[in-house]
Amino acid sequence: MTTFTLRTLRPDDASALLTFELDNRAWFERHIDARAGDFYSLDGVREHIAQLLQGHAQGHAHPCLIVDQHGVLMGRANLKGIGRQSAEVGYRIGQQHAGRGLATAALRHLITLARTQWRLARLTAHAIDGNAASIRVLERCGFTRGMGVADIAVVDGVVLDGHEFVLELASGTR
């Protein structure tokens, strides 16, 4: 079993993050909206990191990385849109690491952060209908399927629908 750590994103993660995103670009784009082309450069990733860390400093986001014992980036997990009582979760696992429980571990880490550090009462997530792996992770972590969301993503030029998933946490007091 691979040993891994979940930690907060840092400015010096730009090269590793660019490599991860490039290596997994086609894999991710089979499941979620494609990123803009200018993201896929060292400057684009540095700008992305700066925006995420600014959101973290302002209390609106908590970007995390999943790294193995050698420092290799295996995935990402984020709390975003953090408000007084709620936030949205998102995660992406590299193709060669999929199916190993990393998404579940990452989501459980985000749930812990939401409860203990951010003191939130509710988490939401969105998944494309038919993305069985992501839906299984959400349900395994206690999320329940909520309302349908039309036009949630465009994958290979096809507009897809999805659902919101919700997890009610202990009372938030942020």
Side-chain angles (χ1 to χ4, degrees):
M1 171 130 198
T2 303
T3 304
F4 60 90
T5 303
L6 286 120
R7 64 167 175 79
T8 302
L9 180 67
R10 302 183 306 233
D12 65 346
D13 289 321
S15 290
L17 185 55
L18 177 59
T19 298
F20 171 79
E21 292 288 345
L22 285 169
D23 288 350
N24 292 285
R25 185 176 184 174
W27 164 251
F28 293 145
E29 290 178 3
R30 288 181 17 207
H31 305 284
I32 56 176
D33 285 328
R35 293 187 182 277
D38 59 354
F39 170 82
Y40 294 99
S41 68
L42 198 51
D43 286 341
V45 170
R46 284 183 179 135
E47 182 178 325
H48 174 74
I49 290 172
Q51 290 171 356
L52 289 172
L53 293 179
Q54 181 180 17
H56 186 241
Q58 295 171 344
H60 303 298
H62 197 129
C64 299
L65 297 182
I66 307 164
V67 295
D68 73 9
Q69 67 270 26
H70 305 291
V72 174
L73 182 54
M74 303 167 73
R76 304 179 65 180
N78 300 307
L79 287 173
K80 54 189 177 182
I82 297 173
R84 278 186 22 127
Q85 294 290 314
S86 66
E88 183 178 350
V89 298
Y91 47 87
R92 53 175 59 198
I93 305 300
Q95 183 174 10
Q96 74 181 73
H97 304 290
R100 298 183 185 176
L102 293 175
T104 299
L107 186 52
R108 288 182 176 146
H109 179 76
L110 294 178
I111 291 167
T112 298
L113 285 174
R115 282 186 172 126
T116 61
Q117 184 171 339
W118 296 100
R119 302 171 63 120
L120 300 175
R122 183 177 207 242
L123 292 176
T124 61
H126 293 89
I128 294 171
D129 292 341
N131 186 345
S134 191
I135 292 168
R136 257 191 321 275
V137 168
L138 291 165
E139 290 175 343
R140 185 177 298 129
C141 291
F143 283 74
T144 56
R145 184 183 303 249
M147 68 178 175
V149 180
D151 305 340
I152 197 169
V154 178
V155 177
D156 286 333
V158 177
V159 178
L160 300 173
D161 296 334
H163 278 80
E164 178 180 67
F165 288 77
V166 178
L167 176 65
E168 299 296 339
L169 303 170
S171 63
T173 56
R174 201 171 157 201

